[in-house]
Amino acid sequence: MIYILAVFLPPLALLLNGQPFAAVLNLVLLAVCVVLTVLTLFAFPFLLLLPSAHAVIAIAMRRDDRRHREIVDAIERHGPPPGWRR
C-alpha cells in the first residue's frame, strides 16, 4: 500500500514512512521536475517519474534496514541459529 502511495504522492508516502528529510527533498525534486517539464513544453515528461522512483527506493531501503536490524537484534538476544558453524 505504501508503494502505491509512493508512486502517486511521493512526499506524503515518505512522511508516513517516517522519513521527513527525504520527504522535503522529494518535494523539492518534484517541484523542480514539474517546472522543467512545463518549461520544456512537456518534451521530457519522464522527469515526473524521478520523485516517484526516489520515494520507492527510499522506502525499500528503509524497510530493508528495519528487517536487518530485527534479525541482528534477534541473534543478539537469542544467539545464533542452531547448526551455525563458527
Side-chain angles (χ1 to χ4, degrees):
M1 183 69 176
I2 192 79
Y3 290 109
I4 294 171
L5 190 60
V7 170
F8 294 110
L9 296 170
L12 181 62
L14 288 167
L15 269 178
L16 291 176
N17 198 43
Q19 297 175 286
F21 296 116
V24 170
L25 175 70
N26 194 284
L27 189 61
V28 170
L29 181 63
L30 182 62
V32 169
C33 289
V34 167
V35 168
L36 287 176
T37 301
V38 170
L39 286 178
T40 60
L41 300 174
F42 297 95
F44 303 107
F46 62 86
L47 284 177
L48 296 175
L49 296 176
L50 289 177
S52 295
H54 169 256
V56 168
I57 292 169
I59 289 171
M61 289 177 63
R62 178 79 178 250
R63 288 185 176 232
D64 282 345
D65 287 343
R66 287 180 193 158
R67 189 177 310 120
H68 290 288
R69 195 172 1 177
E70 288 175 1
I71 291 171
V72 168
D73 289 344
I75 290 173
E76 287 175 350
R77 214 174 312 121
H78 303 290
W84 182 76
R85 295 182 304 183
R86 294 179 191 217

